Amino acid sequence: MQTLDPTILQKVNSWLQGSYDADVKQQIQKLLDENAVTELTDSFYRDLEFGTGGLRGTMGPGSNRINKYTIGSATQGLANYLKKKYPNEKIKVAIAHDSRNNADLFSNITAEVFSANGIHVYFFEALRPTPELSFAVRQLGCKSGVMLTASHNPKEYNGYKAYGADGGQFVFPEDQAVMDEVAAIKSIDEVKFDRVDENIEVIGADIDQLYLDSIVKLSVSKDAIKRQKDLKIVYSPIHGTGITLVPKALEMFGFENVILVDEQTTPDGNFPTVVYPNPEEKEALTLALKKAQEVDADLVLATDPDADRVGIAVKNTDNEFILLNGNQTGSMLINYLLSAWEDAGKLTGKEYIVKTIVTSNLIEEIAKAKNVKFYNTLTGFKYIGELMTQLEGKETFIGGGEESYGYLIGELVRDKDAVVSSAFISEMTAYYKDKGSSLFEALVDTYVQYGFFKEKLISITKKGKSGAEDIKAMMAKFRSNPPATLGGSKVVQLKDYEMGTETDLNTGAVSKLDFPKSDVLQFITEDGSIISARPSGTEPKIKFYCSVNGKLASKEAYKETDKQLDAKIDTIIQDLGV
């Protein structure tokens, strides 16, 4: 018979004896009676912490679960932080939620705690996309904002994204300061749950209109859209918040032939038609692809539950629908934006684009060729948002993104935005169609011009306390014993973002990396392949990002070169031993 660690048992008992609801105590007692040691351990072995995406976890009782009390404590900690940071000021916050189960309940709890702390709450009347929350924080002069979402995670999950006054997620040292305030709450009795109605103001349609009007002003290729207004676009919100704004944004851009995937338009936290509500997964686009084949669509768009990520599918030269990955879509968006800005004579030398360190270097090559400044940030869109805020008023942000299907165009928000991205992916498709090309053909042309960059993500799930320890051990092993060769090419450079060092493995010379600390390792080979290892900040996963590249001699050589690069990636994965 397994026994519970004494420290964890002490925490369990504190919940059984504390000011928690009777039904929560019953659930915990039932787990104790059943000797559910593993579940109790996973539920109580730590307190949920803010990672790259804020607070996120499975729902249920316990300090390591998403529930009324962890949400309440996070909000009380955030309220304490805001009151210390902005003494004697009227503090305003905005709150929104997505379609997840209990998201409405948790958003109300968040509003109650803020209001009880004397903070004015702008509360969205119903579900809304994450980027609109960021927009509202900026537009309404808020000091903070909270989005209740677990993004593209399975239905058991929920989460809490906290935003600063710039509309971006908190970054160091502010995120640490908020975490410290949350950790300082030693009892649930310190959380003020008593709602103050006069401190809560409901918002909705007015902000929607302002946001959509602002997005439409960003459009660069209005004439191409006029000529291609009948472009057939199939769209699925995958049971999420995208349905509230994406179809309207496409209509306002001038697209008149948007076809919805009816089975997935109703918001539903059980996500009944998919295994995971994640547009990175081909399975999540099954119904959208079926509809696209029926109507012979030009473009397929699918957004995740909180509409900050978008996946797309296009027809290849064999007239088959294929999914583009995040690196391909991001590269195409940057290439399109820079070309369209160039065509319009809008490039002045003050513009810039941004990508993350694990996102395709094809974006870098395009920016160099167009003489547009580019920046790299750590993984997590909050770092892109932080950079945008630092450069605001000095340089002009055109667009940016990360390989995990998150992109942003324009400076309206400080988070990835599937609403504006869906509109611009459609505009880009119209732009190329107007020139007699498809999006896929334009992608191949891009490879011919700048080099064929191919990426693959390997994601390994390790759940619970033991899984977290396994991931830590894997990273330690790679740090102490980096691979000598990968994909038949010598590893010549090791970048360790945790240690802040870059090592030339040929000479042993060590230089400093100018990035904040982050648990990421990058192996760079002699032939230019880049392999990154990184534990996820929001999921029980370790991720390996493989990027290889080569020359594409001609469009006709695409298939053969594609196979060669795939084979190289397979060899690298074997060499990694994961």
Side-chain angles (χ1 to χ4, degrees):
M1 187 174 170
Q2 284 182 296
T3 55
L4 203 55
D5 180 284
T7 313
I8 292 168
L9 183 59
Q10 189 180 359
K11 209 164 190 181
V12 169
N13 285 329
S14 73
W15 277 58
L16 288 172
Q17 291 154 17
S19 306
Y20 297 87
D21 292 345
D23 64 325
V24 170
K25 292 182 179 181
Q26 282 171 5
Q27 289 173 55
I28 296 168
Q29 188 60 53
K30 185 169 182 284
L31 291 172
L32 271 174
D33 294 343
E34 292 169 353
N35 195 39
V37 170
T38 303
E39 192 168 341
L40 282 165
T41 299
D42 288 347
S43 298
F44 286 95
Y45 84 92
R46 63 170 189 165
D47 294 337
L48 271 181
E49 291 181 355
F50 285 92
T52 55
L55 198 70
R56 196 181 296 186
T58 53
M59 291 178 277
S63 61
N64 190 37
R65 295 284 185 258
I66 294 288
N67 51 56
K68 171 183 175 179
Y69 305 104
T70 51
I71 293 288
S73 295
T75 307
Q76 185 63 54
L78 179 52
N80 292 348
Y81 164 78
L82 293 170
K83 287 162 90 171
K84 283 181 184 176
K85 181 163 185 182
Y86 304 104
N88 308 316
E89 285 189 52
K90 184 183 179 184
I91 300 169
K92 299 181 287 185
V93 301
I95 301 172
H97 69 83
D98 70 4
S99 61
R100 286 187 173 270
N101 295 330
N102 297 317
D104 188 18
L105 168 70
F106 294 148
S107 63
N108 271 289
I109 289 164
T110 305
E112 285 161 7
V113 175
F114 276 134
S115 72
N117 280 277
I119 291 170
H120 186 85
V121 176
Y122 291 109
F123 189 78
F124 274 98
E125 61 190 356
L127 78 169
R128 288 296 191 280
T130 288
E132 188 177 8
L133 183 275
S134 174
F135 177 81
V137 168
R138 293 172 62 75
Q139 194 65 36
L140 298 170
C142 296
K143 301 299 187 193
S144 183
V146 173
M147 180 73 194
L148 283 301
T149 177
S151 191
H152 58 287
N153 282 74
K155 65 181 179 181
E156 297 80 17
Y157 282 73
N158 217 316
Y160 182 106
K161 286 184 181 177
Y163 290 79
D166 68 342
Q169 290 181 55
F170 285 116
V171 293
F172 187 82
E174 285 191 304
D175 58 353
Q176 189 59 53
V178 175
M179 281 191 273
D180 290 345
E181 289 293 344
V182 176
I185 296 166
K186 299 302 179 192
S187 163
I188 199 66
D189 298 324
E190 295 173 49
V191 180
K192 299 174 184 174
F193 284 108
D194 297 324
R195 182 187 186 94
V196 179
D197 281 326
E198 56 264 37
N199 287 341
I200 299 175
E201 181 180 341
V202 176
I203 58 172
D206 289 352
I207 294 291
D208 294 346
Q209 199 56 52
L210 199 55
Y211 175 55
L212 289 166
D213 287 344
S214 303
I215 286 173
V216 173
K217 286 177 188 166
L218 299 173
S219 176
V220 196
S221 301
K222 293 182 175 73
D223 290 341
I225 292 174
K226 279 178 192 167
R227 290 188 289 269
Q228 303 298 333
K229 63 183 181 181
D230 289 329
L231 191 80
K232 280 186 194 167
I233 303 165
V234 166
Y235 170 63
S236 170
I238 317 181
H239 304 290
T241 60
I243 194 64
T244 62
L245 291 181
V246 174
K248 186 68 179 168
L250 294 174
E251 180 193 323
M252 287 174 69
F253 259 61
F255 294 104
E256 297 179 1
N257 200 358
V258 179
I259 301 137
L260 300 178
V261 180
D262 293 334
E263 302 95 323
Q264 296 180 326
T265 54
T266 304
D268 188 336
N270 290 315
F271 310 114
T273 63
V274 296
V275 178
Y276 297 108
N278 184 357
E280 293 181 65
E281 306 277 350
K282 187 174 184 180
E283 180 272 334
L285 275 78
T286 302
L287 290 172
L289 289 167
K290 183 169 175 274
K291 177 68 78 176
Q293 282 156 355
E294 284 170 15
V295 302
D296 191 31
D298 294 287
L299 175 66
V300 177
L301 298 167
T303 54
D304 69 344
D306 67 322
D308 62 353
R309 298 171 194 249
V310 56
I312 79 169
V314 296
K315 274 188 288 190
N316 65 14
T317 46
D318 296 325
N319 217 32
E320 301 163 333
F321 280 97
I322 60 158
L323 271 60
L324 297 193
N325 64 36
N327 285 298
Q328 291 171 317
T329 304
S331 299
M332 289 302 292
L333 268 171
I334 294 301
N335 194 30
Y336 160 66
L337 286 164
L338 298 190
S339 299
W341 275 57
E342 197 173 40
D343 291 351
K346 290 176 67 178
L347 292 180
T348 66
K350 286 193 171 181
E351 294 76 23
Y352 70 97
I353 59 104
V354 195
K355 72 174 193 68
T356 67
I357 56 172
V358 297
T359 302
S360 180
N361 277 359
L362 175 56
I363 290 173
E364 206 167 291
E365 294 302 317
I366 293 165
K368 280 179 189 169
K370 302 276 189 190
N371 289 315
V372 172
K373 193 183 285 189
F374 65 89
Y375 293 92
N376 273 312
T377 70
L378 289 176
T379 310
F381 218 92
K382 64 181 184 178
Y383 297 110
I384 295 178
E386 178 187 30
L387 181 68
M388 289 172 68
T389 296
Q390 288 168 358
L391 295 175
E392 194 167 8
K394 302 171 198 162
E395 297 176 26
T396 303
F397 173 79
I398 292 180
E402 54 187 4
E403 48 68 48
S404 55
Y405 292 57
Y407 324 103
L408 178 62
I409 295 98
E411 299 184 314
L412 299 171
V413 306
R414 291 290 181 274
D415 208 342
K416 48 190 178 284
D417 185 343
V419 182
V420 73
S421 298
S422 294
F424 269 87
I425 290 164
S426 302
E427 177 173 297
M428 167 171 70
T429 308
Y431 172 86
Y432 287 119
K433 190 170 186 182
D434 202 47
K435 291 178 178 294
S437 176
S438 70
L439 206 52
F440 179 79
E441 287 168 321
L443 174 66
V444 176
D445 286 338
T446 304
Y447 288 150
V448 171
Q449 190 171 357
Y450 302 107
F452 195 161
F453 286 74
K454 181 130 196 191
E455 289 81 20
K456 187 170 184 177
L457 172 64
I458 310 301
S459 191
I460 299 167
T461 301
K462 301 269 186 181
K463 289 187 177 177
K465 184 171 181 280
S466 61
E469 288 164 357
D470 287 347
I471 289 170
K472 205 172 176 182
M474 285 173 85
M475 290 299 288
K477 181 186 158 197
F478 278 118
R479 264 196 181 91
S480 61
N481 190 22
T485 61
L486 287 169
S489 183
K490 187 181 176 188
V491 177
V492 293
Q493 203 176 9
L494 171 64
K495 292 185 180 183
D496 188 333
Y497 292 84
E498 181 73 23
M499 304 303 292
T501 57
E502 183 174 349
T503 307
D504 183 324
L505 297 175
N506 284 329
T507 65
V510 179
S511 53
K512 193 173 176 293
L513 280 174
D514 190 21
F515 284 90
K517 274 191 172 188
S518 183
D519 194 8
V520 182
L521 287 171
Q522 281 189 322
F523 311 112
I524 297 152
T525 67
E526 212 156 33
D527 65 1
S529 298
I530 302 173
I531 297 86
S532 309
R534 171 185 166 263
S536 171
T538 56
E539 300 169 278
K541 291 178 177 179
I542 182 167
K543 296 181 176 184
F544 295 89
Y545 305 80
C546 299
S547 176
V548 298
N549 65 84
K551 282 193 168 71
L552 182 58
S554 66
K555 287 205 269 194
E556 292 71 32
Y558 170 79
K559 285 185 181 176
E560 187 54 41
T561 309
D562 189 46
K563 277 182 193 168
Q564 289 167 5
L565 294 177
D566 272 340
K568 189 168 190 178
I569 288 172
D570 290 342
T571 307
I572 287 171
I573 293 163
Q574 284 172 11
D575 292 346
L576 284 170
V578 295

